[in-house]
Amino acid sequence: MAAGIRVTVWNEGIHEKEMPRCQEIYPLGMGGTIGAYLRQQPGIASVHCSQLDDPEQGLSDEILDNTDVMTWWGHKAHDQVTDENARRVQERVLKGMGLIVLHSGHYSKPFTSLMGTRCNLKWREHGEHGEKERIWVVDPAHPIVEGLPEYIELPNTEMYGEPFGIPQPDQLVFISWFQGGEVFRSGCCWHKEAGRVFYFKPGHESFPIYHNEYVMKVIYNAVKWAAPVRMANGYTQGNYQPLEKLD
Ligand code: ZN
């Protein structure tokens, strides 16, 4: 992709308004922080930041037409994303748009519709400081782990635990261990028709997780991995004429 990847960072944007702790950690918002980081990375042509309260929920045709890869963070207002907009995002993915679903986005409409399952999990927010998480690389050959150490350690996080109600990932990239004893498939890849989906667990709103250089590297690597693959003339489906003469 010579011209570079066009990214849309979709962020719900509610905790940033309602939670002083979140504002303190993320003066630019979580979406703004992710966007500012991606803008500085090689191979990124453009970054547009969308929020739930933007016109057309930040998911207009014009925005989608100019998106190769979308990142999605939501938590409090999954049900406010219209079914129609969720369906449009899902359809874009099936046609080739990459989708990186972050943290509590596991319950978002675009993700659950692409997965076809409920995407339930265990969770625990332990006190003010949460608990330690170690995110282990389990696929050292995967492009998403380029430049990472063997594990990423987050001293303060929310626990997400198994069983995670997703279809078996096509590729499992990370498994997390939590101080309380649970484990979780924290980095999962799927091919969905012509598009690619990556789920990545880190990103609870009350901890500075999107200031961790390795977490951000994973998001950047995932954006590159999920960028659309463009065949020379696309492909056809439906009724098809034979290529050889049939008797
Ligand atoms: Zn959370």
Side-chain angles (χ1 to χ4, degrees):
M1 211 174 273
I5 305 168
R6 301 164 303 166
V7 182
T8 293
V9 174
W10 193 93
N11 184 54
E12 187 178 84
I14 294 180
H15 289 297
E16 286 89 340
K17 289 182 196 129
E18 295 179 349
M19 247 180 85
R21 174 95 183 109
C22 185
Q23 289 163 2
E24 219 171 274
I25 300 169
Y26 296 114
L28 304 173
M30 285 183 278
T33 302
I34 294 168
Y37 168 84
L38 289 175
R39 259 181 214 116
Q40 293 170 3
Q41 304 311 310
I44 303 295
S46 64
V47 177
H48 174 81
C49 289
S50 280
Q51 293 211 142
L52 179 64
D53 63 6
D54 284 352
E56 300 184 57
Q57 306 193 315
L59 298 167
S60 66
D61 280 334
E62 196 195 338
I63 290 170
L64 294 177
D65 286 345
N66 287 290
T67 302
D68 297 313
V69 178
M70 179 173 286
T71 70
W72 191 284
W73 196 103
H75 179 221
K76 285 194 78 173
H78 294 313
D79 60 337
Q80 287 179 37
V81 174
T82 65
D83 289 348
E84 174 58 15
N85 279 339
R87 192 195 59 74
R88 289 167 60 248
V89 171
Q90 181 210 29
E91 196 178 292
R92 293 284 175 149
V93 172
L94 299 178
K95 289 178 174 172
M97 183 181 83
L99 182 67
I100 315 298
V101 176
L102 298 168
H103 191 59
S104 40
H106 69 92
Y107 268 149
S108 65
K109 288 180 184 178
F111 186 63
T112 54
S113 64
L114 283 159
M115 294 297 112
T117 55
R118 293 178 295 172
C119 304
N120 288 330
L121 43 76
K122 288 188 178 70
W123 63 274
R124 173 176 63 241
E125 202 178 347
H126 176 68
E128 213 183 306
H129 301 294
E131 61 199 273
K132 189 193 289 185
E133 173 178 1
R134 239 180 241 125
I135 305 164
W136 285 93
V137 172
V138 296
D139 185 352
H142 202 283
I144 288 180
V145 309
E146 175 77 32
L148 293 189
E150 228 182 333
Y151 60 84
I152 305 169
E153 194 163 287
L154 300 174
N156 311 99
T157 63
E158 178 183 25
M159 185 281 291
Y160 273 12
E162 295 283 345
F164 186 14
I166 46 170
Q168 292 288 354
D170 296 329
Q171 298 153 355
L172 180 60
V173 185
F174 300 107
I175 294 176
S176 286
W177 166 91
F178 295 88
Q179 205 168 353
E182 296 83 2
V183 295
F184 186 69
R185 289 170 290 172
S186 49
C188 305
C189 296
W190 295 268
H191 286 196
K192 294 289 171 183
E193 281 198 45
R196 301 182 197 199
V197 178
F198 180 60
Y199 173 79
F200 189 44
K201 183 267 175 190
H204 186 63
E205 65 276 2
S206 61
F207 300 119
I209 289 167
Y210 296 134
H211 293 305
N212 179 292
E213 64 170 305
Y214 295 123
V215 167
M216 299 312 281
K217 193 178 267 297
V218 170
I219 295 174
Y220 171 52
N221 289 345
V223 163
K224 290 190 288 183
W225 170 81
V229 170
R230 295 198 172 92
M231 294 169 66
N233 299 300
Y235 56 89
T236 53
Q237 288 169 314
N239 186 269
Y240 198 62
Q241 294 305 308
L243 301 179
E244 314 296 336
K245 191 169 183 321
L246 296 176
D247 296 326

